Amino acid sequence: MNEATGAHRTWAPTELVPDRRMRTALGGAAFVIAMTVSAYVAIPVPWSPVPMTLQPMVVLLAGALLGPVTGAAAMASYLAVGVVGAPVFAGGHAGLPWLVGPTGGYLMAFPAAALVVGLVAGRSRRWLPVLLGLLAGLGTIYLGGITQLAVVTGQDPRALLALGVVPFLGGDLIKVALALIIVRRFRKEGLGGS
């Protein structure tokens, strides 16, 4: 081990915070904050009621790095913070009505997506299980999103895909690739996963 790697290891979260429960709580809180920040990076999509955000990548990372239960709990906590009125949703929105609108299905799918990523990817350091977990999580987000869009808009499946999946697919696949790189790096260093 070279000197730089040794210095990096001394700053690893497991050594800074030796108590596992405290590390879990801090990790969950960090992902709630990351979700809030990622929601403010929102780009409106002219033909869709759903903006493009960095949130899917953060959800996928939460499931892969925190594990299924803690990742899902962090995403549920994020939703709870928004429901009680903190402006944490895309564009600084908040409140329960935001969950019943056109973007609500995506938001409500976040805990399930983190759970799916964590279950499928497990603690594997190999790229294929991690990639499959990330893709399964993204699919879970899309399923939740278009299900609610169907309820809100009453449109047919082709229109739902055009509104709720197609405009985001290219960008979300890039987010999956970035998440894969981040997860593999964390796992190579022996960090992440509960």
mmCIF file of all heavy atoms in Angstrom, residues 7-49:
data_model
loop_
_atom_site.group_PDB
_atom_site.id
_atom_site.type_symbol
_atom_site.label_atom_id
_atom_site.label_comp_id
_atom_site.label_asym_id
_atom_site.label_seq_id
_atom_site.Cartn_x
_atom_site.Cartn_y
_atom_site.Cartn_z
ATOM 1 N N ALA A 7 -2.995 7.116 3.560
ATOM 2 C CA ALA A 7 -3.581 8.344 4.105
ATOM 3 C C ALA A 7 -5.079 8.375 3.824
ATOM 4 O O ALA A 7 -5.873 8.781 4.672
ATOM 5 C CB ALA A 7 -2.903 9.566 3.494
ATOM 6 N N HIS A 8 -5.458 7.928 2.626
ATOM 7 C CA HIS A 8 -6.889 7.898 2.275
ATOM 8 C C HIS A 8 -7.647 6.972 3.221
ATOM 9 O O HIS A 8 -8.729 7.294 3.685
ATOM 10 C CB HIS A 8 -7.055 7.441 0.821
ATOM 11 C CG HIS A 8 -8.464 7.169 0.439
ATOM 12 N ND1 HIS A 8 -9.453 8.131 0.489
ATOM 13 C CD2 HIS A 8 -9.060 6.041 0.022
ATOM 14 C CE1 HIS A 8 -10.592 7.607 0.107
ATOM 15 N NE2 HIS A 8 -10.382 6.342 -0.181
ATOM 16 N N ARG A 9 -7.088 5.840 3.518
ATOM 17 C CA ARG A 9 -7.751 4.880 4.392
ATOM 18 C C ARG A 9 -7.950 5.426 5.809
ATOM 19 O O ARG A 9 -8.911 5.090 6.464
ATOM 20 C CB ARG A 9 -6.969 3.574 4.451
ATOM 21 C CG ARG A 9 -6.963 2.836 3.144
ATOM 22 C CD ARG A 9 -7.586 1.495 3.339
ATOM 23 N NE ARG A 9 -7.476 0.724 2.124
ATOM 24 C CZ ARG A 9 -8.497 0.457 1.349
ATOM 25 N NH1 ARG A 9 -9.690 0.880 1.644
ATOM 26 N NH2 ARG A 9 -8.337 -0.268 0.262
ATOM 27 N N THR A 10 -7.039 6.288 6.261
ATOM 28 C CA THR A 10 -7.214 6.825 7.613
ATOM 29 C C THR A 10 -8.397 7.778 7.685
ATOM 30 O O THR A 10 -8.905 8.033 8.766
ATOM 31 C CB THR A 10 -5.943 7.555 8.096
ATOM 32 O OG1 THR A 10 -5.688 8.667 7.248
ATOM 33 C CG2 THR A 10 -4.756 6.615 8.145
ATOM 34 N N TRP A 11 -8.849 8.277 6.549
ATOM 35 C CA TRP A 11 -10.007 9.166 6.525
ATOM 36 C C TRP A 11 -11.280 8.433 6.143
ATOM 37 O O TRP A 11 -12.322 9.041 5.957
ATOM 38 C CB TRP A 11 -9.767 10.327 5.556
ATOM 39 C CG TRP A 11 -8.761 11.267 6.106
ATOM 40 C CD1 TRP A 11 -7.438 11.343 5.782
ATOM 41 C CD2 TRP A 11 -8.979 12.242 7.109
ATOM 42 N NE1 TRP A 11 -6.816 12.311 6.515
ATOM 43 C CE2 TRP A 11 -7.743 12.893 7.347
ATOM 44 C CE3 TRP A 11 -10.092 12.650 7.845
ATOM 45 C CZ2 TRP A 11 -7.597 13.901 8.270
ATOM 46 C CZ3 TRP A 11 -9.930 13.674 8.763
ATOM 47 C CH2 TRP A 11 -8.695 14.282 8.966
ATOM 48 N N ALA A 12 -11.220 7.150 6.003
ATOM 49 C CA ALA A 12 -12.405 6.369 5.642
ATOM 50 C C ALA A 12 -13.471 6.520 6.727
ATOM 51 O O ALA A 12 -13.153 6.602 7.912
ATOM 52 C CB ALA A 12 -12.039 4.900 5.472
ATOM 53 N N PRO A 13 -14.756 6.560 6.334
ATOM 54 C CA PRO A 13 -15.834 6.744 7.317
ATOM 55 C C PRO A 13 -15.824 5.705 8.430
ATOM 56 O O PRO A 13 -16.204 6.006 9.546
ATOM 57 C CB PRO A 13 -17.107 6.620 6.488
ATOM 58 C CG PRO A 13 -16.693 6.914 5.092
ATOM 59 C CD PRO A 13 -15.260 6.484 4.985
ATOM 60 N N THR A 14 -15.383 4.493 8.150
ATOM 61 C CA THR A 14 -15.392 3.473 9.182
ATOM 62 C C THR A 14 -14.422 3.804 10.313
ATOM 63 O O THR A 14 -14.626 3.374 11.432
ATOM 64 C CB THR A 14 -15.032 2.093 8.602
ATOM 65 O OG1 THR A 14 -13.794 2.192 7.920
ATOM 66 C CG2 THR A 14 -16.114 1.612 7.660
ATOM 67 N N GLU A 15 -13.389 4.581 10.009
ATOM 68 C CA GLU A 15 -12.455 4.953 11.061
ATOM 69 C C GLU A 15 -12.824 6.278 11.712
ATOM 70 O O GLU A 15 -12.539 6.496 12.876
ATOM 71 C CB GLU A 15 -11.036 4.997 10.493
ATOM 72 C CG GLU A 15 -10.572 3.604 10.076
ATOM 73 C CD GLU A 15 -9.127 3.578 9.641
ATOM 74 O OE1 GLU A 15 -8.361 4.441 10.082
ATOM 75 O OE2 GLU A 15 -8.778 2.690 8.870
ATOM 76 N N LEU A 16 -13.462 7.171 10.965
ATOM 77 C CA LEU A 16 -13.887 8.441 11.541
ATOM 78 C C LEU A 16 -15.067 8.248 12.488
ATOM 79 O O LEU A 16 -15.173 8.916 13.503
ATOM 80 C CB LEU A 16 -14.283 9.428 10.443
ATOM 81 C CG LEU A 16 -13.144 10.009 9.628
ATOM 82 C CD1 LEU A 16 -13.689 10.885 8.509
ATOM 83 C CD2 LEU A 16 -12.214 10.813 10.517
ATOM 84 N N VAL A 17 -15.973 7.347 12.130
ATOM 85 C CA VAL A 17 -17.163 7.077 12.934
ATOM 86 C C VAL A 17 -17.199 5.570 13.197
ATOM 87 O O VAL A 17 -17.721 4.802 12.394
ATOM 88 C CB VAL A 17 -18.447 7.541 12.206
ATOM 89 C CG1 VAL A 17 -19.662 7.320 13.079
ATOM 90 C CG2 VAL A 17 -18.341 8.995 11.786
ATOM 91 N N PRO A 18 -16.638 5.127 14.303
ATOM 92 C CA PRO A 18 -16.523 3.688 14.532
ATOM 93 C C PRO A 18 -17.852 2.982 14.798
ATOM 94 O O PRO A 18 -17.982 1.796 14.533
ATOM 95 C CB PRO A 18 -15.591 3.588 15.744
ATOM 96 C CG PRO A 18 -15.570 4.928 16.360
ATOM 97 C CD PRO A 18 -15.977 5.912 15.327
ATOM 98 N N ASP A 19 -18.864 3.679 15.298
ATOM 99 C CA ASP A 19 -20.144 3.057 15.598
ATOM 100 C C ASP A 19 -20.948 2.847 14.316
ATOM 101 O O ASP A 19 -21.248 3.803 13.602
ATOM 102 C CB ASP A 19 -20.936 3.929 16.577
ATOM 103 C CG ASP A 19 -22.255 3.290 16.957
ATOM 104 O OD1 ASP A 19 -22.224 2.223 17.606
ATOM 105 O OD2 ASP A 19 -23.305 3.857 16.580
ATOM 106 N N ARG A 20 -21.293 1.603 14.023
ATOM 107 C CA ARG A 20 -22.002 1.246 12.780
ATOM 108 C C ARG A 20 -23.354 1.948 12.677
ATOM 109 O O ARG A 20 -23.740 2.418 11.621
ATOM 110 C CB ARG A 20 -22.183 -0.272 12.703
ATOM 111 C CG ARG A 20 -22.832 -0.728 11.428
ATOM 112 C CD ARG A 20 -22.955 -2.255 11.398
ATOM 113 N NE ARG A 20 -23.541 -2.702 10.182
ATOM 114 C CZ ARG A 20 -24.848 -2.757 9.955
ATOM 115 N NH1 ARG A 20 -25.697 -2.385 10.875
ATOM 116 N NH2 ARG A 20 -25.300 -3.183 8.805
ATOM 117 N N ARG A 21 -24.096 2.023 13.776
ATOM 118 C CA ARG A 21 -25.415 2.676 13.745
ATOM 119 C C ARG A 21 -25.289 4.156 13.419
ATOM 120 O O ARG A 21 -26.098 4.711 12.675
ATOM 121 C CB ARG A 21 -26.145 2.467 15.064
ATOM 122 C CG ARG A 21 -26.581 1.009 15.263
ATOM 123 C CD ARG A 21 -27.145 0.812 16.615
ATOM 124 N NE ARG A 21 -26.077 1.111 17.581
ATOM 125 C CZ ARG A 21 -26.201 1.073 18.882
ATOM 126 N NH1 ARG A 21 -27.347 0.754 19.418
ATOM 127 N NH2 ARG A 21 -25.192 1.344 19.674
ATOM 128 N N MET A 22 -24.272 4.786 13.957
ATOM 129 C CA MET A 22 -24.054 6.210 13.681
ATOM 130 C C MET A 22 -23.661 6.402 12.211
ATOM 131 O O MET A 22 -24.126 7.341 11.563
ATOM 132 C CB MET A 22 -22.974 6.774 14.600
ATOM 133 C CG MET A 22 -22.746 8.259 14.406
ATOM 134 S SD MET A 22 -24.223 9.257 14.681
ATOM 135 C CE MET A 22 -24.269 9.295 16.442
ATOM 136 N N ARG A 23 -22.796 5.518 11.682
ATOM 137 C CA ARG A 23 -22.432 5.602 10.260
ATOM 138 C C ARG A 23 -23.661 5.443 9.384
ATOM 139 O O ARG A 23 -23.836 6.150 8.393
ATOM 140 C CB ARG A 23 -21.410 4.521 9.887
ATOM 141 C CG ARG A 23 -20.001 4.845 10.241
ATOM 142 C CD ARG A 23 -18.997 3.935 9.543
ATOM 143 N NE ARG A 23 -19.334 2.529 9.530
ATOM 144 C CZ ARG A 23 -19.006 1.656 10.468
ATOM 145 N NH1 ARG A 23 -18.332 2.068 11.532
ATOM 146 N NH2 ARG A 23 -19.328 0.393 10.362
ATOM 147 N N THR A 24 -24.555 4.513 9.755
ATOM 148 C CA THR A 24 -25.771 4.286 8.994
ATOM 149 C C THR A 24 -26.653 5.534 9.013
ATOM 150 O O THR A 24 -27.158 5.970 7.976
ATOM 151 C CB THR A 24 -26.541 3.076 9.562
ATOM 152 O OG1 THR A 24 -25.696 1.919 9.463
ATOM 153 C CG2 THR A 24 -27.822 2.826 8.804
ATOM 154 N N ALA A 25 -26.823 6.124 10.176
ATOM 155 C CA ALA A 25 -27.644 7.336 10.296
ATOM 156 C C ALA A 25 -27.037 8.493 9.506
ATOM 157 O O ALA A 25 -27.751 9.221 8.810
ATOM 158 C CB ALA A 25 -27.806 7.716 11.768
ATOM 159 N N LEU A 26 -25.731 8.662 9.607
ATOM 160 C CA LEU A 26 -25.066 9.734 8.862
ATOM 161 C C LEU A 26 -25.166 9.512 7.360
ATOM 162 O O LEU A 26 -25.373 10.459 6.595
ATOM 163 C CB LEU A 26 -23.597 9.851 9.284
ATOM 164 C CG LEU A 26 -23.345 10.418 10.676
ATOM 165 C CD1 LEU A 26 -21.864 10.326 11.035
ATOM 166 C CD2 LEU A 26 -23.830 11.848 10.770
ATOM 167 N N GLY A 27 -25.021 8.258 6.944
ATOM 168 C CA GLY A 27 -25.154 7.938 5.525
ATOM 169 C C GLY A 27 -26.556 8.254 5.015
ATOM 170 O O GLY A 27 -26.726 8.842 3.946
ATOM 171 N N GLY A 28 -27.569 7.874 5.795
ATOM 172 C CA GLY A 28 -28.950 8.175 5.418
ATOM 173 C C GLY A 28 -29.190 9.668 5.324
ATOM 174 O O GLY A 28 -29.794 10.163 4.363
ATOM 175 N N ALA A 29 -28.705 10.408 6.311
ATOM 176 C CA ALA A 29 -28.869 11.869 6.311
ATOM 177 C C ALA A 29 -28.140 12.501 5.122
ATOM 178 O O ALA A 29 -28.660 13.427 4.486
ATOM 179 C CB ALA A 29 -28.360 12.457 7.618
ATOM 180 N N ALA A 30 -26.960 11.994 4.819
ATOM 181 C CA ALA A 30 -26.208 12.523 3.674
ATOM 182 C C ALA A 30 -26.981 12.330 2.374
ATOM 183 O O ALA A 30 -26.995 13.219 1.509
ATOM 184 C CB ALA A 30 -24.841 11.841 3.584
ATOM 185 N N PHE A 31 -27.660 11.196 2.251
ATOM 186 C CA PHE A 31 -28.424 10.964 1.024
ATOM 187 C C PHE A 31 -29.704 11.784 0.975
ATOM 188 O O PHE A 31 -30.160 12.153 -0.109
ATOM 189 C CB PHE A 31 -28.668 9.472 0.800
ATOM 190 C CG PHE A 31 -27.570 8.831 0.017
ATOM 191 C CD1 PHE A 31 -26.520 8.198 0.662
ATOM 192 C CD2 PHE A 31 -27.557 8.900 -1.359
ATOM 193 C CE1 PHE A 31 -25.480 7.639 -0.055
ATOM 194 C CE2 PHE A 31 -26.525 8.348 -2.097
ATOM 195 C CZ PHE A 31 -25.481 7.713 -1.450
ATOM 196 N N VAL A 32 -30.293 12.105 2.115
ATOM 197 C CA VAL A 32 -31.443 13.021 2.119
ATOM 198 C C VAL A 32 -30.987 14.394 1.618
ATOM 199 O O VAL A 32 -31.657 15.023 0.789
ATOM 200 C CB VAL A 32 -32.078 13.116 3.519
ATOM 201 C CG1 VAL A 32 -33.110 14.241 3.574
ATOM 202 C CG2 VAL A 32 -32.723 11.788 3.914
ATOM 203 N N ILE A 33 -29.840 14.848 2.076
ATOM 204 C CA ILE A 33 -29.292 16.130 1.628
ATOM 205 C C ILE A 33 -28.943 16.063 0.139
ATOM 206 O O ILE A 33 -29.254 16.990 -0.627
ATOM 207 C CB ILE A 33 -28.066 16.527 2.478
ATOM 208 C CG1 ILE A 33 -28.507 16.815 3.915
ATOM 209 C CG2 ILE A 33 -27.332 17.718 1.872
ATOM 210 C CD1 ILE A 33 -27.368 16.915 4.916
ATOM 211 N N ALA A 34 -28.316 14.973 -0.283
ATOM 212 C CA ALA A 34 -27.962 14.826 -1.699
ATOM 213 C C ALA A 34 -29.203 14.824 -2.586
ATOM 214 O O ALA A 34 -29.206 15.410 -3.678
ATOM 215 C CB ALA A 34 -27.160 13.537 -1.912
ATOM 216 N N MET A 35 -30.286 14.188 -2.119
ATOM 217 C CA MET A 35 -31.533 14.201 -2.888
ATOM 218 C C MET A 35 -32.075 15.615 -3.012
ATOM 219 O O MET A 35 -32.567 16.011 -4.072
ATOM 220 C CB MET A 35 -32.580 13.297 -2.232
ATOM 221 C CG MET A 35 -32.385 11.835 -2.503
ATOM 222 S SD MET A 35 -32.533 11.421 -4.247
ATOM 223 C CE MET A 35 -34.293 11.609 -4.479
ATOM 224 N N THR A 36 -32.005 16.366 -1.941
ATOM 225 C CA THR A 36 -32.499 17.745 -1.967
ATOM 226 C C THR A 36 -31.712 18.579 -2.965
ATOM 227 O O THR A 36 -32.283 19.291 -3.793
ATOM 228 C CB THR A 36 -32.412 18.362 -0.560
ATOM 229 O OG1 THR A 36 -33.180 17.556 0.339
ATOM 230 C CG2 THR A 36 -32.908 19.786 -0.547
ATOM 231 N N VAL A 37 -30.396 18.481 -2.908
ATOM 232 C CA VAL A 37 -29.545 19.235 -3.839
ATOM 233 C C VAL A 37 -29.832 18.793 -5.273
ATOM 234 O O VAL A 37 -29.970 19.619 -6.178
ATOM 235 C CB VAL A 37 -28.057 19.061 -3.478
ATOM 236 C CG1 VAL A 37 -27.156 19.642 -4.548
ATOM 237 C CG2 VAL A 37 -27.767 19.691 -2.122
ATOM 238 N N SER A 38 -29.947 17.483 -5.499
ATOM 239 C CA SER A 38 -30.175 16.979 -6.857
ATOM 240 C C SER A 38 -31.536 17.398 -7.403
ATOM 241 O O SER A 38 -31.713 17.519 -8.611
ATOM 242 C CB SER A 38 -30.028 15.456 -6.894
ATOM 243 O OG SER A 38 -31.087 14.813 -6.209
ATOM 244 N N ALA A 39 -32.501 17.649 -6.535
ATOM 245 C CA ALA A 39 -33.826 18.096 -6.979
ATOM 246 C C ALA A 39 -33.781 19.521 -7.511
ATOM 247 O O ALA A 39 -34.590 19.899 -8.361
ATOM 248 C CB ALA A 39 -34.831 18.009 -5.830
ATOM 249 N N TYR A 40 -32.835 20.307 -7.031
ATOM 250 C CA TYR A 40 -32.727 21.686 -7.484
ATOM 251 C C TYR A 40 -32.034 21.792 -8.836
ATOM 252 O O TYR A 40 -32.056 22.848 -9.468
ATOM 253 C CB TYR A 40 -32.019 22.542 -6.436
ATOM 254 C CG TYR A 40 -32.963 22.999 -5.355
ATOM 255 C CD1 TYR A 40 -33.264 22.177 -4.271
ATOM 256 C CD2 TYR A 40 -33.579 24.236 -5.429
ATOM 257 C CE1 TYR A 40 -34.140 22.582 -3.287
ATOM 258 C CE2 TYR A 40 -34.469 24.654 -4.449
ATOM 259 C CZ TYR A 40 -34.747 23.824 -3.379
ATOM 260 O OH TYR A 40 -35.630 24.225 -2.416
ATOM 261 N N VAL A 41 -31.407 20.705 -9.274
ATOM 262 C CA VAL A 41 -30.846 20.662 -10.622
ATOM 263 C C VAL A 41 -31.954 20.107 -11.507
ATOM 264 O O VAL A 41 -31.975 18.932 -11.857
ATOM 265 C CB VAL A 41 -29.579 19.779 -10.678
ATOM 266 C CG1 VAL A 41 -28.983 19.773 -12.066
ATOM 267 C CG2 VAL A 41 -28.558 20.228 -9.646
ATOM 268 N N ALA A 42 -32.920 20.964 -11.837
ATOM 269 C CA ALA A 42 -34.110 20.543 -12.576
ATOM 270 C C ALA A 42 -34.198 21.286 -13.905
ATOM 271 O O ALA A 42 -34.149 22.511 -13.942
ATOM 272 C CB ALA A 42 -35.364 20.804 -11.751
ATOM 273 N N ILE A 43 -34.319 20.515 -14.970
ATOM 274 C CA ILE A 43 -34.443 21.088 -16.307
ATOM 275 C C ILE A 43 -35.838 20.749 -16.823
ATOM 276 O O ILE A 43 -36.184 19.569 -16.956
ATOM 277 C CB ILE A 43 -33.373 20.501 -17.251
ATOM 278 C CG1 ILE A 43 -31.978 20.805 -16.709
ATOM 279 C CG2 ILE A 43 -33.556 21.038 -18.668
ATOM 280 C CD1 ILE A 43 -30.868 20.053 -17.401
ATOM 281 N N PRO A 44 -36.661 21.759 -17.110
ATOM 282 C CA PRO A 44 -38.001 21.471 -17.631
ATOM 283 C C PRO A 44 -37.927 20.786 -18.997
ATOM 284 O O PRO A 44 -37.076 21.113 -19.825
ATOM 285 C CB PRO A 44 -38.647 22.854 -17.763
ATOM 286 C CG PRO A 44 -37.776 23.801 -17.013
ATOM 287 C CD PRO A 44 -36.416 23.184 -16.944
ATOM 288 N N VAL A 45 -38.811 19.845 -19.209
ATOM 289 C CA VAL A 45 -38.935 19.172 -20.497
ATOM 290 C C VAL A 45 -40.230 19.701 -21.117
ATOM 291 O O VAL A 45 -41.310 19.467 -20.564
ATOM 292 C CB VAL A 45 -38.977 17.636 -20.323
ATOM 293 C CG1 VAL A 45 -39.181 16.948 -21.662
ATOM 294 C CG2 VAL A 45 -37.693 17.148 -19.658
ATOM 295 N N PRO A 46 -40.138 20.440 -22.248
ATOM 296 C CA PRO A 46 -41.296 21.158 -22.775
ATOM 297 C C PRO A 46 -42.550 20.305 -23.016
ATOM 298 O O PRO A 46 -43.656 20.759 -22.786
ATOM 299 C CB PRO A 46 -40.791 21.737 -24.103
ATOM 300 C CG PRO A 46 -39.314 21.708 -24.015
ATOM 301 C CD PRO A 46 -38.952 20.625 -23.055
ATOM 302 N N TRP A 47 -42.401 19.088 -23.462
ATOM 303 C CA TRP A 47 -43.560 18.270 -23.795
ATOM 304 C C TRP A 47 -43.949 17.299 -22.689
ATOM 305 O O TRP A 47 -44.786 16.440 -22.871
ATOM 306 C CB TRP A 47 -43.319 17.505 -25.091
ATOM 307 C CG TRP A 47 -42.106 16.625 -25.020
ATOM 308 C CD1 TRP A 47 -42.055 15.331 -24.594
ATOM 309 C CD2 TRP A 47 -40.772 16.969 -25.337
ATOM 310 N NE1 TRP A 47 -40.778 14.856 -24.617
ATOM 311 C CE2 TRP A 47 -39.959 15.850 -25.087
ATOM 312 C CE3 TRP A 47 -40.154 18.134 -25.815
ATOM 313 C CZ2 TRP A 47 -38.584 15.852 -25.300
ATOM 314 C CZ3 TRP A 47 -38.784 18.115 -26.024
ATOM 315 C CH2 TRP A 47 -38.022 16.992 -25.768
ATOM 316 N N SER A 48 -43.352 17.442 -21.519
ATOM 317 C CA SER A 48 -43.636 16.534 -20.415
ATOM 318 C C SER A 48 -43.854 17.337 -19.130
ATOM 319 O O SER A 48 -43.182 18.345 -18.908
ATOM 320 C CB SER A 48 -42.472 15.558 -20.214
ATOM 321 O OG SER A 48 -42.677 14.746 -19.073
ATOM 322 N N PRO A 49 -44.774 16.896 -18.274
ATOM 323 C CA PRO A 49 -44.964 17.582 -16.999
ATOM 324 C C PRO A 49 -43.881 17.242 -15.972
ATOM 325 O O PRO A 49 -43.880 17.757 -14.857
ATOM 326 C CB PRO A 49 -46.332 17.068 -16.530
ATOM 327 C CG PRO A 49 -46.451 15.713 -17.136
ATOM 328 C CD PRO A 49 -45.742 15.805 -18.468
#
